Amino acid sequence: MAKKKATVFVCQNCGYESPKYLGKCPSCGSWNQMVEEKLPDKTDSRSRVTISGKTSKAEPITDITIEKEERVKTDLTEFNRVLGGGVVPGSLVLIGGDPGIGKSTLLLQVSAQLNQNGGKVLYVSGEESASQIKMRAERLELRGSDFYLYAETEVSAIQETIEELKPDYVVIDSIQTMHHAGIDSASGSVSQVRESTSTLMQIAKMNDIAIFIVGHVTKEGAIAGPRMLEHMVDTVLYFEGERHHTFRILRAVKNRFGSTNEIGIFEMKNGGLEEVLNPSQLFLEERLSGATGSAVVAAMEGTRPILVEIQSLISPTVFGNAKRTASGLDYSRVSLIMAVLEKRAGLLLQNQDAYLKAAGGVKLDEPAIDLSIAISIASSYKEKETRPTDCFIGEIGLTGEIRRVSKIDQRVNEAAKLGFKRVFLPKNNMDGWDFPENIEIIGCTTLADAIRRAFS
C-alpha cells in the first residue's frame, strides 16, 4: 500500500502552518484562509551553484575579497533615487501595487533603458504572451537589440533559460503566477511563492544578476503571500496611486542598499511614465490662497525634503461624540495633537468634528509634521487663514513645547527655493547652520506662542 503524502494547512494570507484545519488563522486573524497543501517528499539539499558551475563553500573572512560594483543608473532619476542610487548587480527587488497601476509599464521602461545601457535583459511574463508585451513596447516606443521576452510560468524552465542566455537583468511578472515543480500545490499559494522566490534569490546572489519581481497586493494593500517574501528580498517597493489620476508614487519600504521611505513621483502619460522632478511644486500648485484650515510643512521622505499642504476642516458635531477622520496622516497623532491644542492652547475641540488630510495623496508619518497639523486645525477652528508664504516645521510635546527636528537646514532650503517667506520652527533648531538670506526664520518655544505669532 502506497504511503500517503503528509499534508499541512497553510494560511494564504500570512503563511502560518497548522497540522489541522482552522477556521480562523491564529497568526493574522483571517477567516477561511487555511488551505491544505502537500509537503514535499524531501527537502532540497542542493547547495548554491553559479551558472559557471562554481559551488558555494565556507571561507575564512580574511580570505574574502570585496569587489566594489558600480550601480547601474537608468534614465529615470526618480527610480534611481528610490533604489538608493541605481540598480545593484545581484539584488532581488520586489515591486508591489494595485492591478492596473502601472507596475508592468514601469518595469518595461526600466528594462529597455537597462538594455540601452549595454545590459542583456530577460523579461519573463506569466500573465501575458510575448506578442502582448511587444504591443505595449511599441506603444511606449521602446527598442532593444539584446532584449528577450519569455512567456513562461515554470521555474525550472526559467532557470534553464537564464543559464543559457546569461542575462544581466531579469524581470518576473508576476511571482504569483510562477510554479515550482517540486511543490504540489497551486500557483500563487504560500508554498509556491516561497519556493519560487528562494530559487530566484539563489540565481541572483550566485550570478550577480539583478532580478525584479512583480507582486500582487491584497485588498488591505499588503503584498499577497507570506510576509517571509518581503524578508527574503533586498528591496521592497510599493507603486501607489489612483487609477483615475495620472500621478504615481514609488515608495521604498525596505532597502538594504539605500534609504527607506524614499519616494519617487511619476506621471502616467500616453507615452508611458514620466518622472516629476519637483514634487513640492506638484503638491502645492492647486492650493487656494486665503483658504482657512491650510498649513504647509517641509517633510522628509527618505533623503529628500518635500513641501506638502496639510488641510483641516473643523465643524460643530451634531452627535454626542465628535468624529475624527485622517487621510494620509496617522490617526493617533492627530488625536494627540488635538488633545494638546485643547489643554495647552485653549481651543475647545471636544464638541467639534475634525477631518484632516495630506493633499496630493502622499502619506506623512514623522514628528516634524506636528506643528503644521496644529496650525491647520487652529486655522479652521478660528476661521483665520495662514499666510500662503508661511511654512511650519516642528514636533509637539504633551506639555505644549515645540521640540527640535532633524535635517532642518534641508527643509528650510527647500521652502526658500519655492518662494516661502517665513518658516516657523523649534527655537532649539536655530543654532549651528546658516539661514537662507531671502527667508525669515521664526523660532518658537511653545505651541501657544506659535499660534499667536502665526495669526498676528
Side-chain angles (χ1 to χ4, degrees), residues 283 286-288 291-296 308-314 325-327 329 354-360 372-373 376-377 380:
F283 292 138
E286 297 179 354
R287 188 185 183 205
L288 294 177
T292 61
S294 173
V296 175
V308 182
E309 180 187 6
I310 305 293
Q311 296 179 337
S312 299
L313 177 61
I314 307 298
T325 301
S327 175
L329 303 169
Y355 307 89
L356 290 92
K357 70 171 296 184
S372 62
I373 294 176
S376 67
I377 293 174
S380 181

Side-chain angles (χ1 to χ4, degrees), residues 64-272:
I64 297 176
T65 58
I66 300 177
E67 298 180 3
K68 181 66 174 179
E69 302 222 23
E70 295 292 333
R71 294 176 183 260
V72 181
K73 297 184 182 296
T74 67
D75 296 338
L76 296 174
T77 307
E78 297 289 289
F79 187 78
N80 297 335
R81 177 187 291 109
V82 174
L83 287 179
V87 181
V88 178
S91 61
L92 189 62
V93 180
L94 174 64
I95 301 181
D98 294 327
I101 205 69
K103 303 184 298 296
S104 300
T105 300
L106 173 64
L107 286 179
L108 195 59
Q109 287 184 233
V110 170
S111 299
Q113 293 173 7
L114 291 172
N115 177 239
Q116 291 174 0
N117 291 337
K120 183 184 293 186
V121 179
L122 174 63
Y123 191 103
V124 181
S125 177
E127 301 176 346
E128 297 177 288
S129 64
S131 59
Q132 289 176 313
I133 303 173
K134 177 69 180 298
M135 289 173 58
R136 186 191 296 117
E138 290 182 347
R139 177 174 59 85
L140 300 175
E141 298 181 355
L142 302 178
R143 299 288 184 269
S145 58
D146 224 2
F147 193 160
Y148 295 86
L149 302 179
Y150 188 33
E152 181 58 68
T153 59
E154 186 61 46
V155 175
S156 58
I158 296 172
Q159 187 173 4
E160 291 176 0
T161 304
I162 293 175
E163 293 175 355
E164 178 184 350
L165 294 178
K166 297 179 175 59
D168 300 301
Y169 311 97
V170 176
V171 177
I172 305 294
D173 187 8
S174 65
I175 191 62
Q176 278 81 11
T177 62
M178 296 295 110
H179 183 271
H180 196 287
I183 304 298
D184 192 6
S185 61
S187 299
S189 65
V190 170
S191 300
Q192 286 287 356
V193 170
R194 182 173 55 220
E195 291 301 319
S196 299
T197 306
S198 177
T199 301
L200 293 171
M201 181 179 66
Q202 291 191 20
I203 295 173
K205 298 304 178 186
M206 294 302 296
N207 303 285
D208 281 340
I209 299 174
I211 299 182
F212 296 90
I213 299 176
V214 174
H216 296 311
V217 297
T218 62
K219 59 183 180 180
E220 289 82 13
I223 294 179
R227 297 293 296 181
M228 184 186 302
L229 180 61
E230 298 188 19
H231 294 294
M232 295 171 69
V233 301
D234 298 311
T235 305
V236 179
L237 308 178
Y238 277 90
F239 206 37
E240 306 168 349
E242 295 290 338
R243 281 182 290 175
H244 306 295
H245 293 80
T246 59
F247 294 107
R248 304 286 188 266
I249 298 176
L250 183 66
R251 182 186 303 274
V253 297
K254 173 189 175 181
N255 193 353
R256 290 174 178 160
F257 311 113
S259 173
T260 57
N261 292 323
E262 197 80 57
I263 68 170
I265 314 294
F266 299 89
E267 184 178 4
M268 179 68 77
K269 295 186 177 180
N270 293 332

Side-chain angles (χ1 to χ4, degrees), residues 297-363:
V297 60
M300 294 298 300
E301 290 292 336
T303 59
R304 162 200 269 175
I306 295 180
L307 269 67
V308 182
E309 180 187 6
I310 305 293
Q311 296 179 337
S312 299
L313 177 61
I314 307 298
S315 60
T317 182
V318 295
F319 303 104
N321 295 324
K323 186 177 181 180
R324 307 281 189 260
T325 301
S327 175
L329 303 169
D330 183 54
Y331 176 83
S332 300
R333 183 183 298 276
V334 171
S335 299
L336 184 147
I337 293 173
M338 293 187 70
V340 176
L341 280 169
E342 185 158 357
K343 184 74 172 179
R344 308 298 179 186
L347 274 63
L348 185 61
L349 299 172
Q350 56 186 319
N351 59 351
Q352 302 285 325
D353 290 336
Y355 307 89
L356 290 92
K357 70 171 296 184
V362 67
K363 296 179 181 178

